[in-house]
Amino acid sequence: MLTGEKVVGSHSTTTPMGSNWRNAITVEYMTALPSTPDMYDLRMSEAARPLYEKVKTFIAEEIEPKTAEFFRLGEGREDHWGYGEGQLELLDSIKAKAKEVGLWNFFLPDAETGEGLSNLDYAYIAVELGKNPIASECLNCSAPDTGNMEVLERVGTPEQKEQWLKPLLNGEIRSAYIMTEPDMPSSDAKQLACRAIRDGDEYVITGEKYWSSGAGDPRCKIMIVMVQTDPDGPVHRRQSQILVPRDTPGVEIRGAMHVFGEDDAPHGHMHIRFNNVRVPASNMLWGEGKGFEISQLRLGPGRIHHCMRSVGAAEKALELMVKRGITREAFGKRIANLGKNPEVIAKARIEIESMRRMVLTAAKAMDELGNAEARVWVSAVKAMVPIRTCQIVDEAIQIHGGTGVSQWTPLARMYASQRTLRLADGPDEVHWFVVGRSEIASTEEAARDYNPKETFYAEKGSDSAVAFSGP
């Protein structure tokens, strides 16, 4: 069988051709996913390897043994929206030890405020963090603080950094990012209607938001709020982002949104009403009309960080699935070897490795191309990873039986988290659309002269057609 080389962006693949094709054909085809010659070198840097090993050891020796105790201390607490006696002390002791050994703020690509890791190097570490529910916070790498710190580090004024970035970097306070609105389809952010009107040296904020993740935590001191500042301006210049301290008069927390019946206290995803909330004009981030630019600055890395941690969650779910399958018997066989379960386990491993490579490639794309140029890669993994992780967690639940949906394993909580992620930071459909639109646009010019029938007869002649002779 002959093969013809097919050039796909910067990749080379081969297209099989029937034995009657006289000449190999080279086809140039541009894809929606831009690449560079170095983008598929996914090796961790030598400089990051010792750090990666230290993180894995720290999670295994310092975090895993204390995770169950952390949640036990929170059971039956007096204040539902607070922490149990000794709970924060335990968490703070782990954080202090992490700081002491230099395992802190990996996510910031700036050696002055973080470890200066590339997105690719951080991807490897974030996968490990995703395997434990408190590991990210223990190393000060948990959402929504990571995105908020990155925004403040990139566009904050010196005063804003001193007041809010510094304590966030030190792990002394928590924060929230407030964008989604109950009365608007917030996947189309141009429609967001919460208003901020300039009044002298202040802005007056009026409107409603919900799914304000982290705003329920008593340690949450600052919120970044997406507001409309110019309703009649150009569509992509109408929105701005502004800093609002959580204790500002007029900030009314109406309650928590429930995720599959759980309120996720004390973290919480809050429904908030802004009742003529006044904040200094100096709280505006990067100037009026920069809301969408800040969102892309924040959401690009944020989305990929979520996907990195999701790969770790999928790994944990598969581990629990196999352990359960090996240690339980039914119908005379171990569950792992029963019926289609070996296939389920195999597919989960293959899916995890596929996701891992896509996420690592997207991280490398951000390093090589920059966040803006890599945005389609980010959408690709954001569309792909949560849905596949959901499927793997669901299969793990199934193999556990009733135990899988109970409080005895983390699987039910993991499923709720991953299913919610299919809506957070843009629903699946938006990201599928971004990739599909880009793929279509990249092929428009090449498709103009596409006519396989005419091409076949023009190149081969009408007398060269070969009758079908069966397989």
Side-chain angles (χ1 to χ4, degrees), residues 2 5 7 29 39 45 51 70 112 121 155 163-164 181 209 222 229 244 246 251 260 267 316 330 342 349 375 446 452:
L2 299 176
E5 188 176 39
V7 180
Y29 175 54
M39 240 181 67
S45 71
L51 184 64
F70 173 78
E112 292 184 9
D121 286 341
V155 305
Q163 187 173 7
W164 303 117
E181 297 184 6
K209 300 282 187 179
I222 188 64
T229 48
V244 179
R246 185 174 174 271
V251 174
F260 290 102
H267 180 73
K316 187 67 176 180
R349 168 51 62 200
R375 67 189 183 283

Side-chain angles (χ1 to χ4, degrees), residues 52-71:
Y52 172 71
E53 294 300 332
K54 281 178 67 177
V55 169
K56 290 206 302 182
T57 300
F58 191 85
I59 292 173
E61 295 181 357
E62 300 293 341
I63 300 177
E64 283 286 355
K66 297 170 184 173
T67 300
E69 177 69 3
F70 173 78
F71 287 108

Side-chain angles (χ1 to χ4, degrees), residues 20-172:
N20 290 300
W21 286 65
R22 290 184 293 251
N23 300 306
I25 297 176
T26 299
V27 182
E28 291 190 1
Y29 175 54
M30 299 302 295
T31 76
L33 300 172
S35 61
T36 69
D38 296 327
M39 240 181 67
Y40 296 93
D41 180 355
L42 302 178
R43 289 173 294 181
M44 185 189 306
S45 71
E46 291 299 324
R49 287 179 187 275
L51 184 64
Y52 172 71
E53 294 300 332
K54 281 178 67 177
V55 169
K56 290 206 302 182
T57 300
F58 191 85
I59 292 173
E61 295 181 357
E62 300 293 341
I63 300 177
E64 283 286 355
K66 297 170 184 173
T67 300
E69 177 69 3
F70 173 78
F71 287 108
R72 188 194 67 76
L73 289 170
E75 294 174 359
R77 57 189 178 274
E78 186 175 327
D79 180 3
H80 183 64
W81 288 99
Y83 287 87
E85 185 176 349
Q87 197 175 12
L88 284 179
E89 287 78 5
L90 176 63
L91 184 64
D92 288 341
S93 70
I94 303 173
K95 290 166 71 173
K97 189 167 289 187
K99 270 190 198 179
E100 185 180 318
V101 297
L103 300 179
W104 200 251
N105 291 340
F106 302 124
F107 65 93
L108 275 174
D110 182 335
E112 292 184 9
T113 49
E115 280 294 329
L117 295 176
S118 67
N119 286 293
L120 178 63
D121 286 341
Y122 180 62
Y124 283 98
I125 290 174
V127 168
E128 298 304 315
L129 298 179
K131 297 177 183 180
N132 181 283
I134 64 172
S136 291
E137 183 173 357
C138 288
L139 307 186
N140 212 38
C141 293
S142 57
D145 297 336
T146 49
N148 292 341
M149 284 188 270
E150 189 154 6
V151 166
L152 285 164
E153 196 269 337
R154 295 283 184 86
V155 305
T157 65
E159 293 76 21
Q160 291 167 348
K161 291 179 180 181
E162 178 65 26
Q163 187 173 7
W164 303 117
L165 178 59
K166 187 174 179 179
L168 281 168
L169 287 171
N170 289 334
E172 297 165 0

Side-chain angles (χ1 to χ4, degrees), residues 376-396:
V376 183
W377 277 103
V378 173
S379 279
V381 295
K382 179 59 174 66
M384 170 193 182
V385 171
I387 191 169
R388 293 190 178 188
T389 300
C390 263
Q391 291 166 350
I392 292 168
V393 175
D394 187 58
E395 293 287 8

Side-chain angles (χ1 to χ4, degrees), residues 206-209 250-254 271-275 277:
T206 306
E208 271 188 283
K209 300 282 187 179
V251 174
E252 176 192 355
I253 296 182
R254 306 196 70 192
H271 178 195
I272 300 177
R273 179 178 287 165
F274 294 89
N275 301 304
V277 174

Side-chain angles (χ1 to χ4, degrees), residues 78-379:
E78 186 175 327
D79 180 3
H80 183 64
W81 288 99
Y83 287 87
E85 185 176 349
Q87 197 175 12
L88 284 179
E89 287 78 5
L90 176 63
L91 184 64
D92 288 341
S93 70
I94 303 173
K95 290 166 71 173
K97 189 167 289 187
K99 270 190 198 179
E100 185 180 318
V101 297
L103 300 179
W104 200 251
N105 291 340
F106 302 124
F107 65 93
L108 275 174
D110 182 335
E112 292 184 9
T113 49
E115 280 294 329
L117 295 176
S118 67
N119 286 293
L120 178 63
D121 286 341
Y122 180 62
Y124 283 98
I125 290 174
V127 168
E128 298 304 315
L129 298 179
K131 297 177 183 180
N132 181 283
I134 64 172
S136 291
E137 183 173 357
C138 288
L139 307 186
N140 212 38
C141 293
S142 57
D145 297 336
T146 49
N148 292 341
M149 284 188 270
E150 189 154 6
V151 166
L152 285 164
E153 196 269 337
R154 295 283 184 86
V155 305
T157 65
E159 293 76 21
Q160 291 167 348
K161 291 179 180 181
E162 178 65 26
Q163 187 173 7
W164 303 117
L165 178 59
K166 187 174 179 179
L168 281 168
L169 287 171
N170 289 334
E172 297 165 0
I173 64 172
R174 298 297 307 270
S175 63
Y177 184 73
I178 317 294
M179 180 176 175
T180 310
E181 297 184 6
D183 300 322
M184 296 289 175
S186 300
S187 55
D188 180 5
K190 299 187 298 294
Q191 299 190 69
L192 295 175
C194 182
R195 289 294 310 277
I197 299 173
R198 183 73 180 258
D199 182 20
D201 292 333
E202 296 179 316
Y203 280 97
V204 182
I205 303 170
T206 306
E208 271 188 283
K209 300 282 187 179
Y210 75 155
W211 293 111
S212 305
S213 297
D217 195 314
R219 298 170 298 163
C220 176
K221 303 302 180 185
I222 188 64
M223 306 182 295
I224 295 179
V225 185
M226 184 83 137
V227 291
Q228 187 187 78
T229 48
D230 186 4
D232 301 317
V235 172
H236 288 90
R237 302 286 293 176
R238 294 175 184 175
Q239 310 290 345
S240 305
Q241 297 195 26
I242 195 165
L243 293 163
V244 179
R246 185 174 174 271
D247 61 358
T248 305
V251 174
E252 176 192 355
I253 296 182
R254 306 196 70 192
M257 305 305 299
H258 288 204
V259 182
F260 290 102
E262 298 293 331
D263 60 14
D264 203 13
H267 180 73
H269 311 279
M270 313 310 283
H271 178 195
I272 300 177
R273 179 178 287 165
F274 294 89
N275 301 304
N276 296 314
V277 174
R278 289 182 171 270
V279 296
S282 59
N283 281 23
M284 183 63 67
L285 284 165
W286 208 12
E288 285 193 13
K290 297 282 192 176
F292 283 103
E293 292 174 71
I294 294 173
S295 288
Q296 291 310 309
L297 174 72
R298 183 189 190 282
L299 291 175
R303 285 166 177 155
I304 204 166
H305 294 170
H306 278 311
C307 291
M308 294 165 186
R309 290 188 289 265
S310 291
V311 174
E315 281 278 14
K316 187 67 176 180
L318 177 57
E319 175 194 334
L320 298 177
M321 182 197 307
V322 177
K323 284 180 176 178
R324 181 69 164 185
I326 288 173
T327 56
R328 300 277 281 194
E329 287 192 8
F331 307 104
K333 287 186 178 181
R334 296 191 307 183
I335 292 176
N337 301 105
L338 191 65
K340 69 179 180 62
N341 287 339
E343 180 182 336
V344 169
I345 291 167
K347 285 182 175 178
R349 168 51 62 200
I350 292 167
E351 292 283 11
I352 288 170
E353 296 310 320
S354 299
M355 290 190 292
R356 190 194 315 278
R357 280 156 181 74
M358 274 291 288
V359 170
L360 291 174
T361 305
K364 188 65 176 286
M366 292 172 69
D367 291 332
E368 290 279 315
L369 305 171
N371 292 2
E373 287 299 314
R375 67 189 183 283
V376 183
W377 277 103
V378 173
S379 279

